[in-house]
Amino acid sequence: MTLVLLTIGFGIVTASILSLLSVGLTLQFGVTNYVNFAYGGYLAIGMFLAYSFSSTLHLPFWLSVVAATLATGLVALVISETLLDPFVRRRNSRFVLLIVTFGLSLIIDSLLQIIYGPSFLEYPISQSQPVSIGPFSFTVAQLAIIFVAIVTMVAVHLLLSRTALGKSMRAMSDNLDLARASGIDTKYVTRWTWFLSGSLAGLGGIVLGMNIVSFQTSSGDAMLFIVFAAVILGGIGQAYGAMLGALIIGLATEISASFISSADKQYIAFAVLLIMLLIRPQGIIAAKGRS
Amino acid sequence: MNIVLSYLATILVFLFIFNIFSIGLNVQFGYAGILNFTIISFMAVGAYFYAVFAMPPADRSNQIFYILGLHWPWPLATLAGIAASAGFGYLVGLVALKRLRSDYLAIATLAVGSMLFGLAGNQTQLFDGWSGLFNVVQPFGSLAVGSPTAFSWIFVGVCGLVMVVIWLFANRLYRSPLGSVMRAVREDQDVVDAFGKSSFHIRMVAMVIGAVIVGIGGILEIQYIGALSPSGWSPSTTFVVWAALLIGGRANNLGSFVGSVVVAVLFNQVTRFLPSISPSSAYLVPNLRNLIIGVLVIAVLWFRPQGLIPERGGGFLEIPLSSTRGTRMPSGGAGEGARGSTVEEV
């Protein structure tokens, strides 16, 4: 029983990381209506920029995290404006966008490998002993991850429910043309959405790096389709669905580790993804008016 | 001179095999519009199953593990490999083609590919994990004992022959009624369904045919090299096949050949001379290569989306993304420039 409780604890940590990543992906898909396959690349950019800021430039770690998060958001924004938006404006090349983002992910991966090399890197934070809280056992880093995730999810909730920007994002996600007709500045909202999506991806990458301790440029790739699983489970375009999906997948993968070998954890996410695509592609929380 | 000839032979073999991959992807994507982001898995399935059927039982004392090991003669093992990739294509099609369109399909194929890659690498009991299979039975090996150059040239002949047969088959398929209906599905799936044809079955046929073709390519590759490990079929290789198809021109096999030449051969060989720039970093060149391929593909998609050799007889009209939101906007034009300036031939 203690083993299951322990894995629930790990599940909460994984769910925290996943929640950041899933919300970023689902918000961006909701507003822009295409999948960004380079999302794994943004994750890696955040992960490695934080490393650069903290290890190479010797900034305090919390500052590196903030700076890297914002920088990744900026990168996502710039890429969207310069590379993706021209393709979007060419209305007849929607599927081309998928291939472009796929190519972009290759470019980002290669670039990061060229800059940082293939070796495993670590953040310059001390690895502490796990702390026991009730039946769970977390390291300080993991507690920080959970805290960051909770704060971020609350912030996202406030953004979506209280601010004009958030409401515009939800409106665009629901029905783009109606949103435009209602006078929402879609360009402005799209830009902010990309910034937010990139920031969440970067932050997710950083906490992932903190959790796995030693990471390399391809560490984010395996995470990417677990993020897809969570996003599709929750309902693509639905932020709260993404949080729910992240929680379910995070817990499911970790708890399953007490029954099957831990290398097979990701197959659970894979199975969930396939089952959802087969029986209910619109996810748990489906948007109104979707097929 | 001998070295040059040997080098040329190797290049030709890889060109022909790579072109077989492109033709396979062309049938799936160019003909039927299936966004298969894991085409290289089909190659791996064909190759691995050929190997485990053709090789003797695994020598566990040497830490080599794999399933089966039936030691069949290589022609039968080849058939087994083809059947395996057809079966795999069927399974992937069952999962991915039933209800999914565009982006969901892409995600599903990407997930399947990632999974297979991880599975093959981590589960050493299946295909010897990351080390892969080696000492695979090579057909015609006895004909060219002691002369690798002769072996290469034999394979130039074999692969060239297989490629030409597949190319002719694919062209025939294109002109056939089945090819026409595949292209109809590519343009507008719902219209085809409305006419009473099962778009699912048509796409499934395209999927399996493409899978078989790519599987044949994979079998040829493992027969030529005699070994295969997961590093030989990483997900980024899928993108190189896509790049060849997109740069060369979709839906026509001459285009995919040109693309194969440009991307797989010219590009890979030209960048072979880059290490002289920076001998210290061994990982620099492959990454630079991938980087440039990525940039090249995006550039081609922007400046010349139809590729170097466009499809004859009407453009490749836009495939609307799965419209899971509200009403579907009638996107893309109808036929050659019917809507004038709003439609660019993609």
PDB file of all heavy atoms in Angstrom, chain A residues 103-104 106-107, chain B residues 239 289-301:
ATOM      1  N   GLY A 103       8.838  20.196 -39.495  1.00  0.00           N
ATOM      2  CA  GLY A 103      10.190  20.583 -39.893  1.00  0.00           C
ATOM      3  C   GLY A 103      10.821  21.505 -38.874  1.00  0.00           C
ATOM      4  O   GLY A 103      12.016  21.407 -38.576  1.00  0.00           O
ATOM      5  N   LEU A 104      10.001  22.405 -38.328  1.00  0.00           N
ATOM      6  CA  LEU A 104      10.510  23.328 -37.319  1.00  0.00           C
ATOM      7  C   LEU A 104      11.039  22.570 -36.110  1.00  0.00           C
ATOM      8  O   LEU A 104      12.075  22.928 -35.541  1.00  0.00           O
ATOM      9  CB  LEU A 104       9.389  24.274 -36.892  1.00  0.00           C
ATOM     10  CG  LEU A 104       9.754  25.384 -35.921  1.00  0.00           C
ATOM     11  CD1 LEU A 104      10.761  26.303 -36.570  1.00  0.00           C
ATOM     12  CD2 LEU A 104       8.512  26.150 -35.538  1.00  0.00           C
ATOM     13  N   LEU A 106      12.347  19.691 -36.092  1.00  0.00           N
ATOM     14  CA  LEU A 106      13.644  19.134 -36.468  1.00  0.00           C
ATOM     15  C   LEU A 106      14.729  20.208 -36.393  1.00  0.00           C
ATOM     16  O   LEU A 106      15.842  19.978 -35.905  1.00  0.00           O
ATOM     17  CB  LEU A 106      13.566  18.577 -37.889  1.00  0.00           C
ATOM     18  CG  LEU A 106      14.630  17.572 -38.293  1.00  0.00           C
ATOM     19  CD1 LEU A 106      14.444  16.298 -37.525  1.00  0.00           C
ATOM     20  CD2 LEU A 106      14.560  17.291 -39.782  1.00  0.00           C
ATOM     21  N   ILE A 107      14.361  21.406 -36.880  1.00  0.00           N
ATOM     22  CA  ILE A 107      15.332  22.505 -36.873  1.00  0.00           C
ATOM     23  C   ILE A 107      15.725  22.849 -35.446  1.00  0.00           C
ATOM     24  O   ILE A 107      16.909  23.000 -35.120  1.00  0.00           O
ATOM     25  CB  ILE A 107      14.744  23.738 -37.588  1.00  0.00           C
ATOM     26  CG1 ILE A 107      14.574  23.454 -39.073  1.00  0.00           C
ATOM     27  CG2 ILE A 107      15.631  24.948 -37.390  1.00  0.00           C
ATOM     28  CD1 ILE A 107      13.904  24.570 -39.818  1.00  0.00           C
TER      29      ILE A 107
ATOM     30  N   PHE B 239      11.368  12.263 -41.699  1.00  0.00           N
ATOM     31  CA  PHE B 239      11.278  13.595 -42.252  1.00  0.00           C
ATOM     32  C   PHE B 239      12.092  13.727 -43.518  1.00  0.00           C
ATOM     33  O   PHE B 239      11.728  14.485 -44.430  1.00  0.00           O
ATOM     34  CB  PHE B 239      11.728  14.639 -41.224  1.00  0.00           C
ATOM     35  CG  PHE B 239      11.379  16.011 -41.627  1.00  0.00           C
ATOM     36  CD1 PHE B 239      10.078  16.433 -41.617  1.00  0.00           C
ATOM     37  CD2 PHE B 239      12.347  16.879 -42.083  1.00  0.00           C
ATOM     38  CE1 PHE B 239       9.732  17.694 -42.036  1.00  0.00           C
ATOM     39  CE2 PHE B 239      12.019  18.143 -42.494  1.00  0.00           C
ATOM     40  CZ  PHE B 239      10.708  18.552 -42.474  1.00  0.00           C
ATOM     41  N   ARG B 289      23.033  18.858 -40.997  1.00  0.00           N
ATOM     42  CA  ARG B 289      22.327  18.276 -42.127  1.00  0.00           C
ATOM     43  C   ARG B 289      20.818  18.310 -41.890  1.00  0.00           C
ATOM     44  O   ARG B 289      20.046  18.753 -42.736  1.00  0.00           O
ATOM     45  CB  ARG B 289      22.789  16.834 -42.314  1.00  0.00           C
ATOM     46  CG  ARG B 289      22.388  16.190 -43.593  1.00  0.00           C
ATOM     47  CD  ARG B 289      22.909  14.777 -43.623  1.00  0.00           C
ATOM     48  NE  ARG B 289      24.356  14.724 -43.699  1.00  0.00           N
ATOM     49  CZ  ARG B 289      25.070  13.621 -43.474  1.00  0.00           C
ATOM     50  NH1 ARG B 289      24.465  12.528 -43.103  1.00  0.00           N
ATOM     51  NH2 ARG B 289      26.372  13.642 -43.591  1.00  0.00           N
ATOM     52  N   ASN B 290      20.390  17.843 -40.706  1.00  0.00           N
ATOM     53  CA  ASN B 290      18.959  17.857 -40.389  1.00  0.00           C
ATOM     54  C   ASN B 290      18.414  19.269 -40.385  1.00  0.00           C
ATOM     55  O   ASN B 290      17.313  19.534 -40.864  1.00  0.00           O
ATOM     56  CB  ASN B 290      18.719  17.231 -39.015  1.00  0.00           C
ATOM     57  CG  ASN B 290      18.807  15.730 -39.068  1.00  0.00           C
ATOM     58  OD1 ASN B 290      18.685  15.144 -40.129  1.00  0.00           O
ATOM     59  ND2 ASN B 290      19.018  15.109 -37.932  1.00  0.00           N
ATOM     60  N   LEU B 291      19.223  20.180 -39.847  1.00  0.00           N
ATOM     61  CA  LEU B 291      18.815  21.570 -39.782  1.00  0.00           C
ATOM     62  C   LEU B 291      18.550  22.110 -41.177  1.00  0.00           C
ATOM     63  O   LEU B 291      17.512  22.716 -41.448  1.00  0.00           O
ATOM     64  CB  LEU B 291      19.927  22.381 -39.105  1.00  0.00           C
ATOM     65  CG  LEU B 291      19.684  23.862 -38.873  1.00  0.00           C
ATOM     66  CD1 LEU B 291      18.660  24.003 -37.785  1.00  0.00           C
ATOM     67  CD2 LEU B 291      20.968  24.541 -38.461  1.00  0.00           C
ATOM     68  N   ILE B 292      19.508  21.852 -42.083  1.00  0.00           N
ATOM     69  CA  ILE B 292      19.365  22.395 -43.423  1.00  0.00           C
ATOM     70  C   ILE B 292      18.197  21.731 -44.153  1.00  0.00           C
ATOM     71  O   ILE B 292      17.468  22.388 -44.900  1.00  0.00           O
ATOM     72  CB  ILE B 292      20.682  22.236 -44.204  1.00  0.00           C
ATOM     73  CG1 ILE B 292      21.772  23.039 -43.489  1.00  0.00           C
ATOM     74  CG2 ILE B 292      20.528  22.720 -45.625  1.00  0.00           C
ATOM     75  CD1 ILE B 292      23.114  22.970 -44.130  1.00  0.00           C
ATOM     76  N   ILE B 293      17.999  20.427 -43.913  1.00  0.00           N
ATOM     77  CA  ILE B 293      16.850  19.764 -44.538  1.00  0.00           C
ATOM     78  C   ILE B 293      15.556  20.409 -44.067  1.00  0.00           C
ATOM     79  O   ILE B 293      14.644  20.668 -44.868  1.00  0.00           O
ATOM     80  CB  ILE B 293      16.834  18.253 -44.236  1.00  0.00           C
ATOM     81  CG1 ILE B 293      17.939  17.553 -45.011  1.00  0.00           C
ATOM     82  CG2 ILE B 293      15.497  17.645 -44.592  1.00  0.00           C
ATOM     83  CD1 ILE B 293      17.939  16.057 -44.825  1.00  0.00           C
ATOM     84  N   GLY B 294      15.480  20.679 -42.759  1.00  0.00           N
ATOM     85  CA  GLY B 294      14.277  21.318 -42.232  1.00  0.00           C
ATOM     86  C   GLY B 294      14.042  22.666 -42.885  1.00  0.00           C
ATOM     87  O   GLY B 294      12.934  22.982 -43.336  1.00  0.00           O
ATOM     88  N   VAL B 295      15.114  23.461 -42.956  1.00  0.00           N
ATOM     89  CA  VAL B 295      14.986  24.790 -43.560  1.00  0.00           C
ATOM     90  C   VAL B 295      14.601  24.670 -45.036  1.00  0.00           C
ATOM     91  O   VAL B 295      13.743  25.401 -45.538  1.00  0.00           O
ATOM     92  CB  VAL B 295      16.311  25.571 -43.413  1.00  0.00           C
ATOM     93  CG1 VAL B 295      16.277  26.831 -44.237  1.00  0.00           C
ATOM     94  CG2 VAL B 295      16.566  25.907 -41.962  1.00  0.00           C
ATOM     95  N   LEU B 296      15.228  23.732 -45.712  1.00  0.00           N
ATOM     96  CA  LEU B 296      14.959  23.535 -47.142  1.00  0.00           C
ATOM     97  C   LEU B 296      13.494  23.187 -47.383  1.00  0.00           C
ATOM     98  O   LEU B 296      12.853  23.725 -48.296  1.00  0.00           O
ATOM     99  CB  LEU B 296      15.839  22.376 -47.640  1.00  0.00           C
ATOM    100  CG  LEU B 296      16.340  22.454 -49.070  1.00  0.00           C
ATOM    101  CD1 LEU B 296      17.225  23.653 -49.228  1.00  0.00           C
ATOM    102  CD2 LEU B 296      17.118  21.185 -49.391  1.00  0.00           C
ATOM    103  N   VAL B 297      12.962  22.284 -46.539  1.00  0.00           N
ATOM    104  CA  VAL B 297      11.573  21.876 -46.726  1.00  0.00           C
ATOM    105  C   VAL B 297      10.638  23.072 -46.543  1.00  0.00           C
ATOM    106  O   VAL B 297       9.720  23.292 -47.342  1.00  0.00           O
ATOM    107  CB  VAL B 297      11.197  20.753 -45.748  1.00  0.00           C
ATOM    108  CG1 VAL B 297       9.704  20.539 -45.724  1.00  0.00           C
ATOM    109  CG2 VAL B 297      11.895  19.483 -46.139  1.00  0.00           C
ATOM    110  N   ILE B 298      10.890  23.838 -45.483  1.00  0.00           N
ATOM    111  CA  ILE B 298      10.023  24.993 -45.238  1.00  0.00           C
ATOM    112  C   ILE B 298      10.138  25.976 -46.392  1.00  0.00           C
ATOM    113  O   ILE B 298       9.138  26.539 -46.856  1.00  0.00           O
ATOM    114  CB  ILE B 298      10.379  25.654 -43.900  1.00  0.00           C
ATOM    115  CG1 ILE B 298      10.059  24.687 -42.762  1.00  0.00           C
ATOM    116  CG2 ILE B 298       9.641  26.954 -43.726  1.00  0.00           C
ATOM    117  CD1 ILE B 298      10.349  25.227 -41.398  1.00  0.00           C
ATOM    118  N   ALA B 299      11.355  26.170 -46.891  1.00  0.00           N
ATOM    119  CA  ALA B 299      11.539  27.094 -48.004  1.00  0.00           C
ATOM    120  C   ALA B 299      10.780  26.610 -49.239  1.00  0.00           C
ATOM    121  O   ALA B 299      10.096  27.389 -49.908  1.00  0.00           O
ATOM    122  CB  ALA B 299      13.026  27.240 -48.322  1.00  0.00           C
ATOM    123  N   VAL B 300      10.883  25.306 -49.520  1.00  0.00           N
ATOM    124  CA  VAL B 300      10.183  24.768 -50.692  1.00  0.00           C
ATOM    125  C   VAL B 300       8.672  24.916 -50.516  1.00  0.00           C
ATOM    126  O   VAL B 300       7.963  25.299 -51.450  1.00  0.00           O
ATOM    127  CB  VAL B 300      10.547  23.284 -50.912  1.00  0.00           C
ATOM    128  CG1 VAL B 300       9.572  22.625 -51.851  1.00  0.00           C
ATOM    129  CG2 VAL B 300      11.944  23.168 -51.447  1.00  0.00           C
ATOM    130  N   LEU B 301       8.185  24.641 -49.300  1.00  0.00           N
ATOM    131  CA  LEU B 301       6.751  24.756 -49.067  1.00  0.00           C
ATOM    132  C   LEU B 301       6.272  26.184 -49.257  1.00  0.00           C
ATOM    133  O   LEU B 301       5.125  26.420 -49.625  1.00  0.00           O
ATOM    134  CB  LEU B 301       6.397  24.271 -47.666  1.00  0.00           C
ATOM    135  CG  LEU B 301       6.391  22.763 -47.507  1.00  0.00           C
ATOM    136  CD1 LEU B 301       6.157  22.397 -46.057  1.00  0.00           C
ATOM    137  CD2 LEU B 301       5.331  22.142 -48.380  1.00  0.00           C
TER     138      LEU B 301
END
